[in-house]
Amino acid sequence: MATSDHDTPSYSQTSSGLSKGTNKRRRWTTEERDRKVRTKQRAKELEDGIRDTTIDWGSYDIDFIASSPGERELHDFLQRLERASMFAKTRADTTARLLSNLRQSPNKLDILTAIHSELSNLPQDDVYLLTDAKSLGDALSKPFQIPLLHRVTASHSSLAPATNFGIQEFLEHLAEDKEASISVYDYSVPDPAERTRQTTVHEFLSCFRLGNTCRTALNFLDIENRTKIQFCPSPVILQDITTKLDALIQHDKGKTGSEWRAERPKEFFLAAKKNAISTIHIDMGGAVTWVLILEGRKIWYFPRHVSSRTVRWLALVGSQTPEDYEGGWVKVELRPGDLLVMPPSFPHAVFTPDDCLAVGGQFYTTGHLGRSIEGLRLQEDYPDVSNEELNDSVYSTLARILNNCSPVMTSLEKSQVASSQSLFPGRPSPTASKEHSKESLINVLKSLGVAIPSKAKKHELLELLKQKSTRVACAPREKFLDALWTLCDEFMAGSSSAGDCSESSPV
């Protein structure tokens, strides 16, 4: 059959068709290559995420030789604490380990079965794992019930300023004054009440000198940081209430004529020999505590569930009884560069598996101020729960905070502080004062030495009582109580006014 010229494709048509097919294949090849690149990138990101959130705890030895009765006593305590504790778990860590295991399985059904089984059994977080300075600042801006932990990883550097300050540099710093006095906890002393003693820098230097082995594992406590190096991470400083109060003060921002002077928050070094042990205690004054490891390691133990009842149990059974804490004990390993932040009045014990130098400090936050005051009261009622005695500086600091904190606190935070006022009886609350009869108010004022005007009305007597009660007393604790009561009065008065306004407002 003859064919026309129109039925036979021309060379140009054939070439065009081949070109379109080639271009399509090229586009497909490019898209496939891009898809593979994206898949590899996602796989790398997943691996990095798994590596960053998977916590690899180190090993350590608790079977060391204990020669003296005191050392044997603490060695026995550590053995029992170990039996009651386990390394901290987090949901992120558990999920990362699950994903890592699932990547090894080619069977989709096995993967789905494992996900269904494991995700429903994820543990509650024992610690809040931080990733960077922002996550630390966010966590400190509100109350937290479990410790905050930042660990140094390949992708997460330490939150502290970069320094090469370790044990050797610390020894060189202290060597400038060998006769200075420092506190040490000596395990060889049989009586626990006598184990904290004063010694000299000379003994400290000889103990840590290279090649020298101490007769016992000494724990050198609270050596004030006078190196002019500030180790405290900036989010801690920024969330400290005293920093916020300082920012409210109007200063000349220019250099010329400015009288502003920066006040560095106090920091303390903690130096301990290998196998040193600190038994169960809370830190002083109801403050939030931060600890940063500079060299060596520490194993930090704390109860899984902590409340005021936990502190009272500690007061009842003593610092060397780890048994019968609700939920048992959690432990974390702290390595160089790692940061741990504990809530107020948080019971803990510490073991030092290697010679270690750490630095730390205490501060108050708006989110925890109510709990801090409750912790202060607990320490007043049960002084043995802390390894430090309350001092006037705690009351003075809290008095200054309470007198000036209103602009930097929310209504909820103030209510939590106001609720702690009932823990410190001694002055009639605003509600209780209003319930007094006129005659009883006159008797109260007379007992306080107040001259009462003739024909004074009840509201005038209440005002006189308030004025008398808010006069600044001399003792730091009385100043603290006065500031606490005044803040409570102001908050309750403001709450009452707001309630009256809401009731009278039209719907």
Side-chain angles (χ1 to χ4, degrees):
M1 178 192 253
T3 59
S4 67
D5 293 340
H6 296 291
D7 295 330
T8 303
S10 66
Y11 173 80
S12 60
Q13 288 175 325
T14 304
S15 176
S16 174
L18 290 173
S19 177
K20 288 180 180 179
T22 301
N23 290 337
K24 186 175 182 180
R25 283 193 297 273
R26 284 175 179 172
R27 285 196 303 272
W28 182 87
T29 303
T30 301
E31 291 173 357
E32 179 66 13
R33 184 172 62 249
D34 291 344
R35 187 184 66 80
K36 289 182 178 179
V37 169
R38 290 194 300 270
T39 300
K40 288 181 178 180
Q41 181 63 31
R42 285 197 298 269
K44 183 179 183 304
E45 291 173 356
L46 177 61
E47 289 176 357
D48 291 343
I50 291 173
R51 187 165 49 250
D52 285 345
T53 54
T54 301
I55 305 176
D56 294 319
W57 305 112
S59 60
Y60 55 95
D61 184 13
I62 62 172
D63 293 321
F64 52 88
I65 297 174
S67 54
S68 68
E71 289 175 312
R72 287 193 292 271
E73 175 189 317
L74 291 179
H75 182 267
D76 174 69
F77 159 74
L78 181 62
Q79 298 281 339
R80 290 184 288 117
L81 180 60
E82 273 289 319
R83 289 195 292 269
S85 64
M86 60 187 303
F87 275 119
K89 292 182 179 180
T90 67
R91 289 182 173 232
D93 174 56
T94 305
T95 303
R97 292 180 187 277
L98 173 62
L99 292 175
S100 180
N101 293 334
L102 292 179
R103 294 187 71 233
Q104 311 303 319
S105 175
N107 190 310
K108 291 184 178 180
L109 180 59
D110 290 344
I111 293 175
L112 292 174
T113 302
I115 290 175
H116 181 269
S117 173
E118 296 294 333
L119 291 185
S120 60
N121 296 314
L122 285 178
Q124 294 296 318
D125 287 335
D126 291 326
V127 293
Y128 183 83
L129 204 59
L130 304 168
T131 55
D132 51 24
K134 183 180 183 305
S135 65
L136 173 58
D138 290 344
L140 291 175
S141 67
K142 50 185 177 290
F144 53 96
Q145 308 304 319
I146 56 177
L148 313 178
L149 175 64
H150 180 270
R151 303 194 90 213
V152 174
T153 66
S155 56
H156 296 149
S157 58
S158 177
L159 297 183
T163 65
N164 292 317
F165 195 90
I167 293 175
Q168 184 57 42
E169 290 73 22
F170 186 53
L171 296 179
E172 293 172 0
H173 166 68
L174 289 182
E176 299 173 2
D177 188 0
K178 294 183 179 180
E179 299 307 314
S181 176
I182 56 176
S183 296
V184 61
Y185 191 89
D186 190 340
Y187 300 82
S188 64
V189 178
D191 184 0
E194 302 295 328
R195 286 176 183 158
T196 300
R197 60 179 175 83
Q198 291 298 113
T199 186
T200 62
V201 168
H202 178 75
E203 180 183 359
F204 175 86
L205 295 175
S206 63
C207 187
F208 276 91
R209 190 175 295 122
L210 186 64
N212 184 35
T213 56
C214 289
R215 55 188 175 83
T216 189
L218 298 178
N219 203 359
F220 295 87
L221 309 169
D222 297 336
I223 305 171
E224 190 169 349
N225 177 15
R226 298 180 183 176
T227 63
K228 298 184 180 180
I229 302 173
Q230 184 170 288
F231 296 95
C232 184
S234 58
V236 171
I237 298 174
L238 293 175
Q239 290 298 330
D240 189 334
I241 300 182
T242 58
T243 302
K244 296 182 178 183
L245 297 183
D246 288 341
L248 296 177
I249 302 174
Q250 296 298 318
H251 294 291
D252 188 339
K253 305 302 182 185
K255 179 179 178 181
T256 304
S258 174
E259 297 180 356
W260 179 78
R261 296 291 183 271
E263 290 189 15
R264 292 176 52 207
K266 282 193 173 184
E267 300 178 355
F268 298 93
F269 290 110
L270 305 168
K273 292 294 293 180
K274 180 179 180 179
N275 298 330
I277 301 168
S278 292
T279 55
I280 308 168
H281 64 282
I282 66 172
D283 289 337
M284 180 187 66
V288 180
T289 299
W290 65 272
V291 179
L292 174 75
I293 306 300
L294 298 176
E295 183 177 340
R297 293 186 300 156
K298 284 189 179 292
I299 308 300
W300 214 272
Y301 304 83
F302 51 89
R304 176 165 280 108
H305 304 297
V306 174
S307 65
S308 59
R309 185 173 60 251
T310 313
V311 179
R312 289 193 293 270
W313 176 248
L314 168 60
L316 178 65
V317 299
S319 64
Q320 295 186 34
T321 304
E323 291 81 11
D324 298 320
Y325 280 79
E326 183 184 356
W329 287 76
V330 176
K331 59 184 176 181
V332 296
E333 176 202 22
L334 301 180
R335 305 170 302 183
D338 289 354
L339 173 75
L340 183 75
V341 184
M342 293 187 297
S345 304
F346 202 77
H348 59 283
V350 185
F351 172 60
T352 306
D354 310 307
D355 289 357
C356 181
L357 177 66
V359 64
Q362 293 182 289
F363 63 108
Y364 295 97
T365 67
T366 57
H368 270 308
L369 189 54
R371 182 171 174 179
S372 291
I373 294 172
E374 292 174 6
L376 174 64
R377 184 61 187 179
L378 281 170
Q379 188 177 350
E380 288 186 345
D381 292 339
Y382 311 105
D384 290 340
V385 298
S386 178
N387 56 5
E388 295 180 82
E389 294 183 359
L390 284 170
N391 56 56
D392 287 347
S393 65
V394 172
Y395 294 110
S396 297
T397 299
L398 285 171
R400 182 207 167 197
I401 289 173
L402 292 169
N403 281 324
N404 300 281
C405 66
S406 286
V408 299
M409 293 184 70
T410 65
S411 179
L412 176 61
E413 291 168 343
K414 292 177 188 176
S415 71
Q416 293 168 347
V417 173
S419 67
S420 66
Q421 182 258 355
S422 61
L423 299 173
F424 298 88
R427 169 186 162 189
S429 67
T431 303
S433 298
K434 292 176 182 178
E435 292 173 353
H436 275 289
S437 66
K438 182 176 179 180
E439 291 73 17
S440 63
L441 284 171
I442 291 174
N443 291 332
V444 170
L445 289 168
K446 284 182 177 179
S447 69
L448 296 172
V450 177
I452 303 173
S454 61
K455 299 182 180 180
K457 297 181 180 180
K458 183 176 179 179
H459 74 275
E460 294 172 334
L461 297 176
L462 287 169
E463 183 61 28
L464 284 173
L465 180 60
K466 181 178 178 181
Q467 292 174 4
K468 176 64 179 179
S469 301
T470 55
R471 289 176 189 167
V472 177
C474 296
R477 186 177 186 276
E478 292 174 338
K479 291 182 180 180
F480 155 72
L481 291 176
D482 181 81
L484 176 61
W485 286 324
T486 301
L487 179 66
C488 181
D489 288 352
E490 293 174 351
F491 176 76
M492 295 303 292
S495 299
S496 176
S497 299
D500 292 343
C501 291
S502 63
E503 288 178 6
S504 61
S505 300
V507 177

